Amino acid sequence: MVRPTIILSAAAMASCAYAFAPQQVVVNRNNNLFSSSTTAMQASRRDFFIRAGSTALVTLTTATINSSPAVAATTPPTAEEIERIKVGYKNIQYLLDNWEQETTVCRENGGECKRDADAARRAMGLRSTTDPLFQIEKVFNKVKYMEDIDLDKLEQFFEATEDWNTAMNMSNSMAFISQFAEYNPGGGKDEVLKYLNEAEIQVKLAEKALSVILDCVTSSPQ
């Protein structure tokens, strides 16, 4: 078991050491990276983003390290894993387009209907191991190893993964709270709707982030 602080420190030191290595890259006042030739610049940019990405995605990955996951983490995502992102994105879009319908559950034979946020958690990959987006951050962590990745979009990709992680956690919290808001002291149907609306906002932010991620992994450099 490796402590997260050790992983973070190691990743940060690796990034800094590479970024300031002599005869590799030069940092100007605007923090732009240059190299002595076009070929060297492309190689430097890829290596830099691979190292910098390790720091950006450290909150999305597990702190437990063993030989098998370590090998898997250095390979690009498979076609099936990319398809999971596509399917998950479509599921989120459908949920948002049909929010009230999908978050309303009615008893059989014309029984009482109530709002339920379980559909939101399911679309975000938080309900079952069979959900397309279940632990999708592990797939995100492989993207930096794609050979045909557009290097100009990597920075946007890393920012989008952070936005996704935040929105996923927040939507999960809001959806979970809404399911019990009616029965809490001072609660009621208005409280359920309040937290359900907050969950919807977070799902919209997650959809936006996933759109950027999907564009990065499915587009080729020009």
Side-chain angles (χ1 to χ4, degrees), residues 177-193:
I177 293 173
S178 73
Q179 292 181 301
F180 299 95
E182 184 175 357
Y183 308 104
N184 289 335
K189 292 184 178 180
D190 289 341
E191 286 295 298
V192 173
L193 187 59

Side-chain angles (χ1 to χ4, degrees), residues 94-95 97-105 115-116 119:
Y94 178 84
L95 171 65
D97 290 341
N98 303 275
W99 181 260
E100 185 169 354
Q101 171 186 318
E102 291 299 307
T103 57
T104 301
V105 177
R115 302 301 296 274
D116 190 318

Side-chain angles (χ1 to χ4, degrees), residues 7-8 10-19 21 43-58 141 144-145 154 158:
I7 298 175
L8 180 58
M13 287 189 291
S15 298
C16 293
Y18 184 86
S44 297
R45 290 175 65 194
R46 177 176 296 278
D47 290 342
F48 176 80
F49 277 119
I50 287 176
R51 287 162 173 76
S54 297
T55 302
L57 290 174
V58 71
N141 198 36
K144 58 182 176 287
Y145 298 107
L154 271 180
F158 290 132

Side-chain angles (χ1 to χ4, degrees), residues 50-194:
I50 287 176
R51 287 162 173 76
S54 297
T55 302
L57 290 174
V58 71
T59 57
L60 303 179
T61 56
T62 179
T64 303
I65 296 180
N66 56 46
S67 58
S68 297
V71 173
T74 61
T75 60
T78 63
E80 290 76 13
E81 289 172 328
I82 297 297
E83 185 64 21
R84 285 175 54 198
I85 301 177
K86 294 179 180 179
V87 173
Y89 180 67
K90 291 180 180 178
N91 289 346
I92 290 177
Q93 285 185 312
Y94 178 84
L95 171 65
L96 291 173
D97 290 341
N98 303 275
W99 181 260
E100 185 169 354
Q101 171 186 318
E102 291 299 307
T103 57
T104 301
V105 177
C106 298
R107 294 181 179 178
E108 296 181 358
N109 302 320
E112 180 186 5
C113 296
K114 66 176 184 177
R115 302 301 296 274
D116 190 318
D118 198 53
R121 300 181 68 219
R122 184 167 57 251
M124 297 291 289
L126 299 166
R127 289 291 292 134
S128 171
T129 58
T130 60
D131 294 335
L133 296 179
F134 176 74
Q135 295 186 350
I136 200 65
E137 63 273 9
K138 293 183 179 180
V139 178
F140 296 162
N141 198 36
K142 295 181 179 182
V143 170
K144 58 182 176 287
Y145 298 107
M146 294 174 64
E147 290 296 329
D148 58 347
I149 194 78
D150 189 341
L151 297 178
D152 292 329
K153 294 183 177 181
L154 271 180
E155 183 176 356
Q156 296 176 6
F157 169 78
F158 290 132
E159 291 177 354
T161 57
E162 292 177 352
D163 292 341
W164 163 267
N165 192 44
T166 300
M168 178 188 65
N169 288 328
M170 288 297 297
S171 65
N172 187 35
S173 296
M174 295 299 101
F176 185 81
I177 293 173
S178 73
Q179 292 181 301
F180 299 95
E182 184 175 357
Y183 308 104
N184 289 335
K189 292 184 178 180
D190 289 341
E191 286 295 298
V192 173
L193 187 59
K194 170 187 173 181

Side-chain angles (χ1 to χ4, degrees), residues 7-45:
I7 298 175
L8 180 58
S9 300
M13 287 189 291
S15 298
C16 293
Y18 184 86
F20 293 97
Q23 300 180 350
Q24 291 294 327
V25 293
V26 178
V27 182
N28 68 3
R29 293 179 180 177
N30 295 320
N31 292 324
N32 294 321
L33 303 181
F34 297 91
S35 66
S36 59
S37 67
T38 302
T39 302
M41 180 179 68
Q42 294 296 330
S44 297
R45 290 175 65 194

